[in-house]
């Protein structure tokens, strides 16, 4: 058969949301390339997804429902039919509901393939009708969302294409070289046109040629640095009082909180030179247009939401909005005003809420009712949830009935009682809102589903029917949901027509214009359309720097575990990240007499990880780095970064992965 080429879209949890061209020969995916249908993709994609066929045809692919025959975690299963699997799950759910109540059932999900069909449609209707516990999806983005919602009501951010217009850029707690690669060409163009670029990050992900300033802030100390910059501008009369008066509220609260933060005070907290903070403040104040790219690296600690709010306030305090290339970008997901309720009707769902970061504790500690059934989909908690040892111990519980709905045999799947096989994005119909680039895209299957794999929305509808429920929610198919999703899309400046989307595969915004200009074509979605510089949702702790975790001499090093170019979270890490490593600065290594490539034990009160040491001056002193997403087999003792990550929460419930403090010894 000749090779056929199909249009597709990458649905990974990545801001870029590339438009793809997939070559299929004899029904098999042979090549995946980028196109410029989404202009930001510009014909190139990351090597991970270029080789995604490896995952589609992996020997670890789940191709039929299965039932556990070995011990939990051992990974021995036998094949069963879909009908048997659905019946088994329904029997268990009924029995648990009768004995313990619906809240003894916990759905557990996160990013998965991230489209509008595969989450919060029939799954939500199913768990709502069961009266299951609700999940607070808080492993990512909760602090950033709270800040962005509070300050600007999630105003649309500066488009990547407009970065070329900026003359001063701060990349704050983001690593575009790994996690947002399509921003990088625009940064290069801006630099070539004379822009100054600064990064605020304990790690230096750029070469000296690519940037003008690196501020190697200690993890969790961004709030102090941001307040010191604000204090500095106030003191040097650099604030834009006109903009503040016209377009902001509660600036006085922020300015008062910034008062104690002299450059020296913040520098001591952030363990950097005060001169660096001053250079950053001056560079940003002088730049016109000035732009800030905020990443999620800054949020993953106890001060995350407050720090992001303080950084978000900067363009308002200095009046940097109102022109191309001026303002900020965080997540652009808020630009779509998607009417989720129009997809599938759900019953009212008012049960207890469980924060997903606490999974291990929730499974192990006493609760009323206890969790008796765990239903995992779109998520790999053994790899990505903090306090891995508690998660593993919880999953071992013999009285816990665990269902894992997955594409491949993950570290979590091996603990399942029942496994359900999921399609990959190349086998699926999905509509995907990009949260970095500005486009809505439709992807049709390019190959038929492998084995008996099915898409989420169909499986939860099947489960509802297997429960004997006649609700309309459980009668829907994928084909019913596609036109509904197009109709439910608001905020794009125009109606989205399903036939057009189906035909063209992509729809763009009209702000008016393809790219928004903050405070000119787009405005805050706050009640008064002003930037709220001390929003209610943060005000109780507004801009209060919490120290608290440093100072235990047994664990002097801060451990961060950011994204790498090897995987998307744990997806594809199974083959791209075969060996876990710890990165350490030469000075910290010398102090411990450790050498490059040596086996080390990384320890704290939560656990211990054994891996190889990598020595690099790119990471600052006092901080070590272990990549996120590694599978257990990549480590020398079956534990990964999350065995060291605390299951503490920040004030708004977000994960504090980077509050881990550790010590490292030779193994
Ligand atoms: N290749 C790839 N791309 C991805 C992902 C992936 O796993 N792999 N994941 C996707 C997802 S789900 C997300 S949320 C995003 C995340 O992508 P990013 O927003 O880039 O977030 P992180 O990778 O967590 O961290 C970014 C940077 O923050 C730094 N950092 C850590 N702690 C601090 C701190 O306290 N302050 C400051 N200023 N910097 C700090 C880290 O050293 C790192 O360089 O990427 C998405 N894209
Ligand atoms: N230590 C540390 N841990 C972290 C982070 C960190 O910075 N440090 N970052 C956190 C962040 S930013 C995030 S977003 C989370 C991400 O955590 P997760 O969202 O759990 O990300 P993945 O590990 O990629 O797991 C998603 C799983 O869903 C499956 N899947 C994909 N598509 C489908 C589908 O259509 N149906 C079904 N049923 N399954 C599907 C994939 O095979 C994959 O195993 O991790 C968090 N964990
Ligand atoms: S993971 Fe990101 S960069 Fe890679 S193909 Fe998908 S959207 Fe593009
Ligand atoms: Mo994330």
């Amino acid at each position: 058969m000749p090779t056929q080429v199909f249009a597709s879209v990458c649905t990974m949890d990545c801001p870029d949301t590339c438009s793809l061209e997939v070559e299929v020969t004899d029904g098999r995916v042979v090549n995946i390339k980028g196109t410029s249908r989404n202009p930001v993709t510009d014909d190139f994609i990351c090597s991970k997804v270029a080789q995604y066929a490896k995952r589609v045809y992996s020997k670890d692919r789940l191709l039929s429902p299965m039932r556990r025959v070995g011990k939990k975690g051992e990974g021995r299963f036998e094949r069963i039919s879909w009908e048997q699997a659905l019946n088994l799950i329904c029997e268990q759910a009924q029995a648990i509901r009768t004995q313990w109540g619906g809240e003894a059932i916990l759905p557990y999900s996160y990013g998965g393939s991230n489209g509008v069909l595969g989450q919060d449609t029939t799954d939500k209707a199913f768990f709502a009708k069961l009266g299951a516990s609700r999940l607070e999806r808080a492993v990512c983005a909760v602090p950033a969302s709270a800040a962005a919602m509070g300050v600007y009501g999630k105003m649309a951010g500066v488009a990547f294409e407009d970065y070329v217009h900026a003359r001063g850029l701060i990349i704050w707690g983001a690593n575009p070289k790994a996690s947002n690669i399509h921003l990088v060409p625009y940064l290069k163009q801006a630099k070539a046109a004379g822009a100054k670029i600064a990064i605020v990050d304990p790690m230096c992900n750029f070469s000296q040629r690519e940037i003008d300033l690196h501020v190697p802030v200690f993890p969790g100390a961004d709030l102090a640095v941001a307040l010191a910059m604000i204090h500095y501008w106030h003191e040097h009369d650099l604030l834009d009082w006109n903009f503040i008066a016209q377009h902001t509220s509660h600036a006085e609260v922020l300015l008062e909180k910034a008062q104690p933060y002299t450059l020296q005070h913040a520098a001591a907290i952030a363990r950097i030179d005060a001169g660096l903070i001053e250079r950053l403040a001056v560079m940003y104040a002088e730049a016109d247009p000035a732009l800030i790219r905020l990443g999620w690296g800054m949020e993953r600690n106890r001060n995350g939401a407050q720090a992001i709010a303080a950084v978000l306030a900067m363009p308002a305090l200095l009046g940097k909005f109102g022109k191309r290339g001026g303002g900020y970008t965080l997540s652009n997901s808020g630009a779509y005003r998607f009417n989720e309720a129009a997809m599938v009707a759900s019953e009212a769902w008012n049960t207890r809420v469980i924060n997903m970061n606490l999974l291990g504790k929730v499974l192990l500690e006493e609760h009323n009712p206890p969790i008796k059934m765990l239903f995992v989909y779109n998520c790999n908690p053994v790899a990505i949830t903090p306090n891995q040892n508690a998660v593993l111990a919880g999953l071992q519980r013999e009285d816990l009935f665990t269902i894992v709905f997955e594409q491949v045999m993950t570290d979590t799947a091996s603990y399942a009682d029942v496994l359900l096989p999921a399609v990959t994005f190349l086998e699926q119909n999905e509509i995907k809102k990009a949260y970095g680039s500005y486009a809505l895209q439709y992807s049709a299957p390019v190959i038929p589903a492998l084995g008996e794999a099915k898409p989420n929305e169909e499986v939860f509808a099947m489960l509802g029917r297997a429960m004997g429920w006649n609700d309309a929610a459980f009668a829907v198919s994928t084909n019913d949901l596609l036109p509904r999703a197009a109709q439910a899309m608001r905020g794009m400046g125009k109606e989205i027509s399903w036939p057009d989307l189906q035909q063209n595969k992509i729809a763009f915004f009209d702000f008016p214009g393809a790219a928004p200009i903050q405070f000119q074509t787009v405005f805050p979605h706050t009640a008064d359309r002003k930037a709220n510089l001390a929003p209610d949702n943060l005000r109780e702790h507004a801009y209060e720097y919490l120290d608290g975790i440093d100072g235990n001499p047994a664990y002097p090093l801060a451990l961060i575990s950011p994204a790498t170019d090897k995987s998307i979270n744990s997806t594809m890490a199974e083959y791209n990240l075969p060996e876990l490593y710890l990165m350490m600065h030469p000075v910290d290594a010398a102090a411990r007499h450790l050498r490059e490539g040596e086996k080390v034990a990384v320890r704290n009160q939560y656990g211990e990880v054994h891996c190889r040491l990598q020595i690099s001056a790119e990471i600052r002193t006092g901080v070590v780095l272990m990549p996120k997403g590694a599978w257990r087999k990549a480590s020398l003792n079956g534990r990964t970064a999350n065995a060291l990550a605390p299951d503490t929460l920040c004030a708004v419930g977000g994960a504090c992965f980077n509050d881990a403090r550790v010590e490292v010894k030779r193994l």
Side-chain angles (χ1 to χ4, degrees):
M1 260 225 300
T3 297
Q4 285 177 287
V5 181
F6 295 97
S8 184
V9 180
C10 176
T11 59
M12 295 296 132
D13 190 349
C14 169
D16 299 13
T17 310
C18 292
S19 56
L20 305 175
E21 243 174 42
V22 183
E23 293 175 11
V24 176
T25 309
D26 294 331
R28 252 183 108 84
V29 172
V30 292
N31 198 7
I32 305 177
K33 295 189 299 194
T35 70
S36 47
R37 195 176 335 112
N38 180 356
V40 168
T41 307
D42 193 25
D43 291 340
F44 76 95
I45 58 169
C46 65
S47 61
K48 302 177 293 293
V49 169
Q51 293 169 40
Y52 187 77
K54 269 194 194 169
R55 181 165 247 246
V56 176
Y57 302 113
S58 152
K59 63 173 175 28
D60 293 328
R61 198 59 207 275
L62 303 178
L63 296 171
S64 70
M66 290 194 275
R67 171 167 55 196
R68 177 168 65 88
V69 290
K71 289 203 190 91
K72 290 202 177 204
E74 204 178 77
R76 287 202 297 125
F77 294 90
E78 71 179 12
R79 185 173 174 164
I80 54 175
S81 68
W82 266 104
E83 197 189 343
Q84 285 172 304
L86 297 177
N87 289 340
L88 205 61
I89 295 168
C90 291
E91 274 164 27
Q92 286 289 333
Q94 296 284 27
I96 288 168
R97 235 165 39 127
T98 308
Q99 191 180 351
W100 302 94
E103 286 183 335
I105 299 169
L106 180 66
Y108 199 86
S109 65
Y110 196 72
S113 291
N114 241 256
V116 300
L117 269 60
Q119 198 163 64
D120 294 327
T121 58
T122 54
D123 52 331
K124 185 174 175 193
F126 178 69
F127 292 114
K129 182 132 183 145
L130 274 177
S133 287
R134 289 177 294 161
L135 185 74
E136 185 180 1
R137 291 201 188 108
V139 284
C140 176
V142 160
S145 292
M149 182 56 87
V151 179
Y152 295 107
K154 293 202 170 176
M155 174 169 58
V158 176
F160 299 156
E161 299 93 309
D162 275 355
Y163 273 56
V164 298
H165 301 297
R167 286 300 162 266
L169 286 138
I170 308 181
I171 318 270
W172 202 315
N175 178 12
K177 285 209 161 168
S179 61
N180 177 198
I181 59 170
H182 290 84
L183 186 63
V184 177
Y186 299 112
L187 296 177
K188 289 201 167 127
Q189 281 180 51
K191 176 86 176 141
K196 290 212 159 58
I197 301 183
I199 63 168
V200 186
D201 196 311
M203 169 87 187
C204 191
N205 299 298
F206 289 84
S207 72
Q208 288 311 312
R209 276 184 300 110
E210 293 170 309
I211 55 167
D212 298 279
L213 180 63
H214 174 209
V215 181
V217 61
F218 197 76
D222 303 271
L223 176 61
V225 172
L227 292 176
M229 289 166 70
I230 292 168
H231 174 74
Y232 180 90
W233 296 325
H234 196 182
E235 215 178 24
H236 290 78
D237 206 17
L238 293 166
L239 299 178
D240 184 337
W241 291 107
N242 279 335
F243 190 91
I244 291 171
Q246 265 186 44
H247 296 292
T248 75
S249 60
H250 304 108
E252 68 292 349
V253 178
L254 173 54
L255 295 177
E256 196 196 309
K257 294 283 181 177
Q259 266 311 317
Y261 287 86
T262 59
L263 296 177
Q264 284 69 25
H265 181 42
I269 291 173
R271 306 192 197 183
I272 51 178
D273 186 53
L276 288 176
I277 307 178
E278 182 170 17
R279 279 176 64 195
L280 185 68
V282 171
M283 191 206 101
Y284 182 73
E286 285 177 351
D288 181 25
L291 185 45
I292 307 178
R293 168 51 162 170
L294 297 91
W296 290 266
M298 189 186 348
E299 76 162 22
R300 312 193 198 288
N301 63 76
R302 68 217 179 273
N303 292 307
Q306 304 297 338
I308 291 185
V311 175
L312 283 173
M314 291 181 173
L317 291 170
L318 298 194
K320 297 291 190 185
F321 292 117
K323 56 183 77 163
R324 286 233 111 88
Y328 72 88
T329 317
L330 182 51
S331 168
N332 291 330
S333 65
Y336 309 79
R337 303 266 139 181
F338 184 61
N339 178 12
E340 192 188 285
M343 293 291 282
V344 166
S346 277
E347 288 187 1
W349 194 10
N350 300 313
T351 53
R352 72 175 167 185
V353 177
I354 289 178
N355 186 306
M356 71 186 292
N357 292 307
L358 306 179
L359 178 65
K361 271 190 191 144
V362 166
L363 292 178
L364 294 175
E365 288 173 358
E366 239 176 73
H367 284 274
N368 188 16
I371 301 300
K372 290 285 182 177
M373 174 184 274
L374 180 71
F375 198 133
V376 180
Y377 63 109
N378 291 352
C379 195
N380 184 9
V382 169
I384 65 86
T385 303
N387 198 354
Q388 187 176 52
N389 282 316
V391 172
L392 288 169
L395 290 174
Q396 282 286 3
R397 262 180 45 198
E398 283 303 330
D399 66 330
L400 177 71
F401 189 81
T402 303
I403 299 138
V404 180
F405 180 17
E406 247 302 348
Q407 298 170 339
V408 294
M409 186 65 83
T410 60
D411 287 337
T412 307
S414 67
Y415 284 86
D417 292 282
V418 173
L419 282 169
L420 301 176
V423 290
T424 68
F425 76 91
L426 295 175
E427 299 149 58
Q428 174 187 47
N429 279 285
E430 190 50 284
I431 292 179
K432 170 84 178 166
K433 308 179 278 183
Y435 67 93
S437 58
Y438 278 117
L440 180 73
Q441 298 180 74
Y442 164 58
S443 73
V446 305
I447 49 168
L450 263 68
E452 297 173 26
K454 292 187 190 296
N456 294 0
E457 66 281 4
E458 300 234 331
V459 169
F460 287 103
M462 284 164 66
L463 276 164
R465 295 196 295 271
M467 290 293 288
W469 296 333
N470 299 322
D471 311 53
F474 307 114
V476 296
S477 68
T478 303
N479 285 335
D480 300 326
L481 291 177
L482 288 166
R484 276 187 215 174
Q487 248 170 31
M489 213 53 81
R490 292 278 168 272
M492 291 184 65
K494 58 186 181 196
E495 298 273 305
I496 300 302
S497 126
W498 165 237
D500 287 355
L501 184 62
Q502 190 174 23
Q503 167 101 39
N504 304 329
K505 312 286 192 231
I506 193 160
F508 297 102
F509 279 73
D510 185 9
F511 283 108
I517 303 176
Q518 293 179 317
F519 284 88
Q520 197 181 98
T521 60
V522 296
F523 290 86
H525 289 282
T526 48
D528 57 4
R529 302 194 94 201
K530 292 181 177 181
N532 182 349
L533 302 189
D536 283 342
N537 61 344
L538 306 178
R539 201 178 291 166
E540 196 189 333
H541 312 272
Y543 307 115
E544 266 165 38
Y545 175 77
L546 303 175
D547 199 346
I549 54 163
D550 297 319
N552 180 346
Y555 307 118
L557 297 164
L559 170 74
I560 58 172
S561 46
T564 68
D565 61 357
K566 306 293 181 222
S567 64
I568 295 288
N569 300 312
S570 73
T571 303
M572 296 172 282
E574 66 265 33
Y575 44 83
N576 280 337
L577 188 47
E579 193 173 14
L580 186 62
Y581 59 88
L582 179 82
M583 189 185 282
M584 182 185 265
H585 190 275
V587 167
D588 291 322
R592 290 165 179 79
H593 309 290
L594 297 173
R595 286 186 308 270
E596 172 73 22
E598 249 183 325
K599 291 180 185 168
V600 290
V602 191
R603 245 181 234 134
N604 69 10
Q605 64 274 42
Y606 293 93
E608 179 161 337
V609 178
H610 299 172
C611 64
R612 299 249 176 213
L613 186 70
Q614 224 180 64
I615 299 179
S616 166
E618 282 164 15
I619 187 85
R620 59 155 292 155
T621 53
V623 181
V624 288
L625 180 153
M626 198 181 276
K628 81 163 159 176
W631 287 37
R632 297 179 67 193
K633 65 185 178 189
S635 140
L636 296 170
N637 70 337
R639 297 294 184 278
T640 62
N642 275 320
L644 303 160
D647 50 4
T648 49
L649 304 176
C650 79
V652 295
C656 295
F657 300 108
N658 295 344
D659 276 342
R661 296 293 181 267
V662 300
E663 183 52 290
V664 182
K665 294 215 164 71
R666 176 174 300 116
L667 194 60

